């Protein structure tokens, strides 16, 4: 079990491979792919039925039931306690993001529509996001703060730092080595709105990926 409000579970029957799913926390989350049976407590773990250990944050486990072998004990034994703590940190971040998912979606939609007044109100409700003014640079800074929050449970800081430091160096080298062609290229992608469209497409991916991740986890 998890402390999240909505908890979707899904696995394949080890006998017939039928997909079985159910969701805790929502009205239409009934059991699908199987029939619910009433079994006496002393018959639950007698070995007659397959034992399937379900946990929202870890892979489904199929095997023999062992008394006292909880999901936590199994996972820490398989990936180490340090790795589990790192994973748990990211899961905690997802838990904190979940209640903010509507505002995090809205802030992208409002930016793309140019509705900066609503954008400002939404930013005020997001911890760590501050819109200093309606100037373009401040709007973009607030937007990037919001998208950083969205992606924080899924990103690796070292990789992000490498990209952030490497990309400007490539642009600088291109401008120094091929100044005329580089400026011509930049003017072209600005004129045909390629950068604007690419920016909006990337923002759409944030909405799709980040919140599918929040729901799935």
């Amino acid at each position: 079990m998890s402390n999240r409000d909505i908890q979707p579970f899904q696995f394949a029957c080890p006998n017939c491979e039928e997909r079985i799913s159910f969701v805790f926390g929502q009205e239409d989350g009934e059991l699908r792919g199987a029939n619910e049976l009433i079994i006496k407590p002393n018959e639950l773990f007698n070995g007659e039925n397959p034992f399937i250990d379900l946990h929202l944050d870890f892979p489904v486990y199929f095997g023999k039931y062992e008394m006292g072998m909880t999901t936590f004990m199994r996972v820490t034994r398989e990936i180490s306690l340090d790795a589990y703590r790192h994973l748990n940190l990211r899961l905690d971040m997802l838990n904190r993001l979940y209640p903010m998912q509507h505002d995090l979606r809205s802030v992208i939609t409002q930016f793309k529509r140019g509705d900066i007044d609503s954008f400002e109100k939404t930013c005020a409700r997001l911890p760590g996001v501050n819109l200093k003014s309606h100037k373009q640079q401040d709007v973009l800074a607030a937007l990037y703060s919001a998208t950083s929050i969205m992606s924080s449970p899924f990103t690796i800081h070292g990789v992000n730092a490498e990209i952030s430091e490497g990309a400007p160096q490539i642009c600088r080298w291109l401008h120094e080595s091929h100044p005329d062609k580089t400026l011509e290229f930049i003017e072209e992608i600005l004129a045909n709105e390629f950068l604007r469209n690419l920016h909006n497409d990337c923002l759409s991916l944030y909405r799709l990926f980040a919140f599918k991740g929040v729901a799935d986890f």
Side-chain angles (χ1 to χ4, degrees):
M1 297 293 290
S2 170
N3 61 351
R4 283 189 281 284
D5 295 336
I6 298 177
Q7 304 179 43
F9 292 94
Q10 179 175 286
F11 62 96
C13 173
N15 293 328
C16 67
E17 299 185 355
E18 175 73 20
R19 185 179 69 175
I20 301 172
S21 64
F22 55 93
V23 181
F24 291 143
Q26 64 183 35
E27 295 181 357
D28 59 345
E30 71 273 6
L31 177 66
R32 297 180 180 179
N35 295 322
E36 186 174 356
L37 301 177
I38 299 177
I39 301 177
K40 296 179 181 179
N42 61 344
E43 297 177 352
L44 288 174
F45 304 108
N46 59 10
E48 293 184 4
N49 297 306
F51 172 72
I52 303 170
D53 191 0
L54 298 176
H55 194 285
L56 194 63
D57 300 328
F58 305 108
V60 177
Y61 172 78
F62 298 88
K64 183 179 179 181
Y65 170 72
E66 298 179 46
M67 184 178 295
M69 181 55 68
T70 64
T71 302
F72 171 80
M73 293 181 63
R74 181 178 295 108
V75 169
T76 53
R77 185 176 64 180
E78 292 178 356
I79 69 173
S80 81
L81 184 58
D82 287 341
Y84 168 78
R85 287 171 176 165
H86 180 72
L87 174 62
N88 193 54
L89 175 64
R90 293 178 179 269
L91 295 174
D92 285 341
M93 294 167 69
L94 281 169
N95 282 334
R96 292 194 296 270
L97 277 178
Y98 171 72
M100 296 187 288
Q101 60 177 313
H102 176 72
D103 284 336
L104 288 170
R105 281 195 185 101
S106 296
V107 80
I108 289 179
T109 302
Q110 291 157 358
F111 169 81
K112 292 169 70 173
R113 291 177 178 173
D115 185 0
I116 305 304
D117 289 334
S118 297
F119 178 86
E120 183 175 18
K121 294 177 182 177
T122 305
C123 287
R125 295 194 296 268
L126 295 172
V129 180
N130 179 32
L131 180 61
K132 295 181 179 179
S133 74
H134 285 202
K135 294 180 180 178
Q136 184 181 31
Q137 60 267 33
D138 291 332
V139 171
L140 290 173
L143 176 68
Y144 295 153
S145 294
T147 54
S148 295
I149 291 173
M150 291 182 205
S151 60
S152 56
F154 309 100
T155 57
I156 301 174
H157 175 74
V159 175
N160 285 354
E162 182 179 354
I163 295 173
S164 298
E165 295 170 1
Q169 294 177 5
I170 294 174
C171 293
R172 188 178 300 110
W173 178 85
L174 286 171
H175 184 257
E176 292 174 352
S177 304
H178 310 281
D180 294 338
K181 291 184 178 180
T182 300
L183 291 176
E184 181 182 349
F185 173 73
I186 293 175
E187 290 174 357
E188 180 181 352
I189 61 177
L190 287 174
N192 61 19
E193 295 195 341
F194 172 81
L195 280 182
R196 177 185 176 86
N197 294 332
L198 178 62
H199 189 208
N200 286 339
D201 288 344
C202 290
L203 291 174
S204 297
L205 287 177
Y206 269 104
R207 295 181 79 250
L208 175 66
F209 171 73
F211 292 106
K212 186 179 187 304
V214 170
D216 288 349
F217 276 81

